[in-house]
Amino acid sequence: LDVEGITLYGPQDASERGGAVTFNYRDLHPHDLSQVLDGYGIAIRAGHHCAQPLMGRLDVVATARASFYVYNKEEELDALVEGIEAAARLFRVPARTGA
Amino acid sequence: MSQRVPEPEFDELYRELILEHYRSPHHAEPLPNADVVAEGYNPLCGDEVELRLAFDNGTVKDVSCQGRGCSISRGSGSMLTDLVLGKPVEEARRLSQEFTKMLREPEEDVPEELGDLEAFQGVAKLAVRVKCATLAWHTLEDALDQRETGGHSARHEEV
């Protein structure tokens, strides 16, 4: 994912990860993001992923998680990025994080 | 993607009014010298809210609402501050009960006194987000309970 404003949790190197990508997009709450993506037919997980202590450790309210497997196509990844951008437009997430 | 899937309609759920309150919440500066500070938390989704209220003769003299959470919870908290400011506490409590009722029975007419909260009618149709909208209000009710018993702080967990 090369969208500006994405925070990736866990190893930053793809060779050290599996197909599950946990992230946040700026200040956008994962539930709002997943709601928008759902409208586009894209399913991601959002929330605590049964890992509240880790959420606390990362100091985040919640995270989003997209999981990929052998049946996913590259255009579906493009769709995910477009969906994130659509959510950013809807919520007018500011270009810079912070107050 | 935009060729395959039609542009979804988010108007119902995310009315522009809710989004405005989310982007620029009202009364978001923490109130100094509050009589009651109440924290609300939804452990199932992580929404957090902190309400600070000052009272004068049975009326909400001043209020602030801060929080971390989704747009629905923050929008609701912001609207709460507008609606309860200057109102007698009984009326603030009643507004909370009316709002909770509206979310349970979305097909009914929305009482006029709920004002901008009417924007949450779409949320009522999505059960999983209702708790986001009520968090600030249930925290408010806890705060009002505290005031009655002479307490100064409350912690509400929404389950």
Side-chain angles (χ1 to χ4, degrees), chain B residues 3-155:
Chain B
Q3 290 91 36
R4 279 196 295 118
V5 179
E7 195 75 17
E9 290 292 321
F10 289 110
D11 293 348
E12 264 307 295
L13 186 57
Y14 289 119
R15 302 248 191 112
E16 190 56 32
L17 193 57
I18 300 178
L19 295 179
E20 275 173 35
H21 277 270
Y22 167 60
R23 289 179 210 124
S24 309
H26 298 185
H27 307 109
E29 282 299 308
L31 189 66
N33 309 315
D35 294 318
V36 178
V37 177
E39 290 172 0
Y41 177 56
N42 185 338
L44 297 181
C45 68
D47 285 341
E48 297 168 5
V49 75
E50 186 184 272
L51 279 178
R52 292 171 170 258
L53 296 131
F55 301 99
D56 181 26
N57 251 346
T59 303
V60 178
K61 186 174 73 168
D62 211 345
V63 59
S64 72
C65 180
Q66 304 139 267
R68 295 210 295 176
C70 68
S71 59
I72 307 268
S73 74
R74 305 211 38 205
S76 177
S78 171
M79 285 195 208
L80 180 154
T81 64
D82 286 342
L83 274 167
V84 307
L85 186 59
K87 296 258 170 49
V89 299
E90 301 82 38
E91 207 179 311
R93 196 187 284 279
R94 208 166 42 78
L95 283 169
S96 179
Q97 287 157 356
E98 286 288 331
F99 183 46
T100 305
K101 183 159 172 263
M102 179 197 103
L103 292 171
R104 272 204 313 268
E105 297 160 20
E107 306 306 320
E108 302 291 315
D109 286 328
V110 180
E112 255 203 59
E113 58 195 344
L114 289 182
D116 287 347
L117 289 177
E118 195 229 337
F120 286 96
Q121 270 198 307
V123 173
K125 295 173 191 156
L126 205 56
V128 66
R129 305 305 295 276
V130 166
K131 288 272 158 65
C132 305
T134 57
L135 178 64
W137 291 91
H138 292 168
T139 305
L140 170 72
E141 290 189 44
D142 269 17
L144 297 179
D145 289 341
Q146 276 300 305
R147 175 188 163 271
E148 267 165 41
T149 58
H152 299 288
S153 67
R155 179 157 172 88

Side-chain angles (χ1 to χ4, degrees), chain A residues 1-86:
Chain A
L1 274 176
D2 206 20
V3 179
E4 200 197 315
I6 292 274
T7 304
L8 215 55
Y9 300 101
Q12 303 292 303
D13 187 340
S15 68
E16 291 178 3
R17 333 184 46 111
V21 180
T22 302
F23 66 98
N24 264 312
Y25 180 72
R26 300 193 199 279
D27 288 338
L28 186 56
H29 193 282
H31 282 163
D32 291 321
L33 173 61
S34 66
Q35 191 87 62
V36 172
L37 291 174
D38 172 69
Y40 284 102
I42 299 167
I44 63 165
R45 297 299 305 277
H48 301 151
H49 316 288
C50 300
Q52 267 116 317
L54 180 56
M55 297 297 126
R57 177 75 171 82
L58 293 170
D59 192 29
V60 291
V61 175
T63 57
R65 189 178 74 210
S67 302
F68 303 94
Y69 199 50
V70 292
Y71 42 64
N72 288 115
K73 305 179 193 138
E74 208 172 306
E75 56 251 36
E76 287 165 346
L77 176 56
D78 292 336
L80 172 64
V81 172
E82 279 180 50
I84 294 171
E85 287 168 346

